[in-house]
Amino acid sequence: MNKPSYGASVAKTRRLTAPDIAGRKGAEPVVCLTAYTYPMAKLLDPHVDLLLVGDSMGMALYGMDSTLGVTLDMSIAHGAAVVRGSKHACVIVDMPFGTYQESPAQAFRNCARVMTETGCGGIKIEGGVEMAETVKFLVERGIPVQGHIGLKPQSVNTAGGFRSQGHDSVSAAKIVADAQAVAEAGAFSIVIEAVTETLARKITDQVPVVTIGIGASPACDGQVLVTEDAIGMFNDFTPKFVKRFGEVGDAIGKAAAEYAREVRARTFPAPKNLYGDR
Ligand code: KIV
């Protein structure tokens, strides 16, 4: 029997939910991009299944060195904007560092705020075996959880940098155990970031939960990229796992240069941009 398709037909009728995404295991790939703002959500929504309000906003939007400076209030403000700017995609909000690691009760309190104040469809937390109890606690209380294993940007200080993971058998076995623990705890999907291709493929084969790869494998059940990377917003650094699908940064630079030229030449505003006397 053919697997069900959740593509454009659902786009026209209603917003996708975490269970819809969970139902895509082994079926049509889940298309995911990050979004932090209303206009970007509006532009991306017709094309994606899932919009992730990632804490990558700290780096991509706020120019921070890591994701650690992102606060709950920032995530809520950006999450609410992305929900307002979309009507089809399932919106998932990343829980910032320090808002969920202390205890399941702390996690529930903060995740419930995010769900009620943004209207999002679920939250994402980083961690594997050590977060499984929290994932279970949240899911049992009505909060859809997306896991995040492999390279965990919120652990950059203990990891000693942003490094790909799973290159030796011990580290690979730990990441498989993380995936299994988060899946068994009830996560509807798991982001696998920057691990070897064979490991991402193996996890996708072994766990019954939808895997979303970033620097992982085409075999994953879906893919995610930071939108600013994918559209070519910046020229300074492009991680190995990014493909630039556009050169938006160049287009913005060209438009700004043309505007500056016209203002200096007094050709803008032109008569058609002006209000006449009544
Ligand atoms: O913060 C983020 O945008 C993420 C994705 C890169 C997976 O976690």
Side-chain angles (χ1 to χ4, degrees), residues 34 36 52 54-56 94 124 126 148 191 193 214 224 226:
T34 60
Y36 319 122
L52 175 64
D55 61 358
S56 52
D94 231 352
K124 174 164 85 60
E126 293 182 13
H148 184 149
V191 170
E193 179 164 356
I214 174 163
V224 61
V226 170

Side-chain angles (χ1 to χ4, degrees), residues 6 9-20 87-90:
Y6 297 87
S9 53
V10 174
K12 293 192 186 82
T13 53
R14 63 170 172 82
R15 190 186 282 281
L16 290 167
T17 63
D20 289 329
K87 45 185 188 225
H88 156 62
C90 178

Side-chain angles (χ1 to χ4, degrees), residues 77-243:
H78 287 285
V82 169
V83 170
R84 285 194 294 271
S86 59
K87 45 185 188 225
H88 156 62
C90 178
V91 177
I92 300 300
V93 176
D94 231 352
M95 294 303 292
F97 179 67
T99 65
Y100 62 92
Q101 290 94 339
E102 195 179 318
S103 66
Q106 182 218 23
F108 182 78
R109 198 164 45 248
N110 288 326
C111 292
R113 248 197 88 191
V114 169
M115 298 287 296
T116 55
E117 294 181 33
T118 67
C120 70
I123 58 86
K124 174 164 85 60
I125 62 177
E126 293 182 13
V129 173
E130 77 286 3
M131 292 311 300
E133 184 194 351
T134 297
V135 174
K136 187 164 186 290
F137 191 91
L138 294 173
V139 174
E140 283 175 348
R141 285 157 183 77
I143 298 183
V145 177
Q146 181 173 58
H148 184 149
I149 61 167
L151 191 165
K152 292 168 285 182
Q154 293 178 7
S155 299
V156 62
N157 289 313
T158 44
F162 297 101
R163 298 210 175 89
S164 58
Q165 307 286 311
H167 293 280
D168 61 79
S169 57
V170 174
S171 139
K174 159 91 176 74
I175 296 168
V176 171
D178 284 343
Q180 279 164 347
V182 172
E184 273 163 30
F188 74 91
S189 117
I190 304 175
V191 170
I192 306 178
E193 179 164 356
V195 305
T196 63
E197 198 278 329
T198 43
L199 181 59
R201 189 176 286 272
K202 178 174 161 189
I203 291 171
T204 301
D205 281 348
Q206 285 186 0
V207 298
V209 169
V210 159
T211 60
I212 309 282
I214 174 163
S217 167
C220 288
D221 300 298
Q223 302 293 328
V224 61
L225 282 176
V226 170
T227 296
E228 282 70 8
D229 290 337
I231 65 177
M233 187 78 125
F234 309 116
N235 283 322
D236 30 10
F237 173 67
T238 305
K240 175 184 167 72
F241 55 73
V242 169
K243 176 172 173 186

